[in-house]
Amino acid sequence: QVQLVESGGGSVQSGGSLTLSCVVSGYTSSRYCMGWFRQAPGKEREGVAVIDSDGSAESADNVKGRFTISRDNATNTLSLQMSSLKPEDTAMYYCAADSAGFKVYRGRYYNSCSWKRGYTHWGQGTQVTVSS
């Protein structure tokens, strides 16, 4: 059974920094996609950043240059370093994982760790609040 446990959320002032962590258990190899998603009150969940087992990563335009995703396959840990935080970054942040490889999701074909591929496993979430 795959489990994900996030930590590191909290409250910070605008311009501040936070680092989120997520420990994954239950996979028998490191060949899986991982990602961070977030959902603000009244808004749809959005992809923040994703990373493949080889370290190739993609970030959403609204966090590029401010957020850095990384993973340590030896410890099964996913991290998200967030800097220059803005009030609009306030949201519940979720760690997610999905087996790597080809996948069809909602009629579309995916061959990368795109955040649109329908991640299978989710953590419970950690709140990030940025005050102005």
Side-chain angles (χ1 to χ4, degrees):
Q1 181 180 358
V2 176
Q3 293 185 321
L4 297 86
V5 179
E6 301 106 331
S7 61
S11 297
V12 65
Q13 289 191 329
S14 182
S17 301
L18 279 175
T19 297
L20 306 183
S21 296
C22 173
V23 178
V24 183
S25 61
Y27 277 107
T28 57
S29 77
S30 62
R31 277 287 293 149
Y32 54 91
C33 300
M34 295 196 73
W36 289 100
F37 297 75
R38 67 186 183 186
Q39 187 167 20
K43 295 188 177 181
E44 291 188 355
R45 186 174 63 199
E46 63 175 354
V48 176
V50 294
I51 187 168
D52 202 342
S53 56
D54 63 0
S56 56
E58 181 181 356
S59 299
D61 288 342
N62 56 3
V63 304
K64 280 181 181 176
R66 301 189 298 121
F67 292 9
T68 301
I69 189 171
S70 62
R71 65 188 283 174
D72 184 338
N73 291 331
T75 61
N76 298 324
T77 302
L78 176 73
S79 298
L80 184 69
Q81 294 178 292
M82 305 184 293
S83 61
S84 301
L85 283 161
K86 304 175 182 179
E88 52 263 44
D89 294 318
T90 295
M92 184 70 79
Y93 283 71
Y94 297 92
C95 170
D98 194 44
S99 296
F102 302 128
K103 183 174 185 179
V104 177
Y105 179 71
R106 292 184 176 179
R108 298 198 67 175
Y109 184 80
Y110 294 96
N111 188 29
S112 69
C113 291
S114 168
W115 50 65
K116 298 179 182 179
R117 65 181 280 132
Y119 277 63
T120 303
H121 306 286
W122 294 83
Q124 80 285 356
T126 185
Q127 179 68 38
V128 172
T129 302
V130 185
S131 57
S132 57

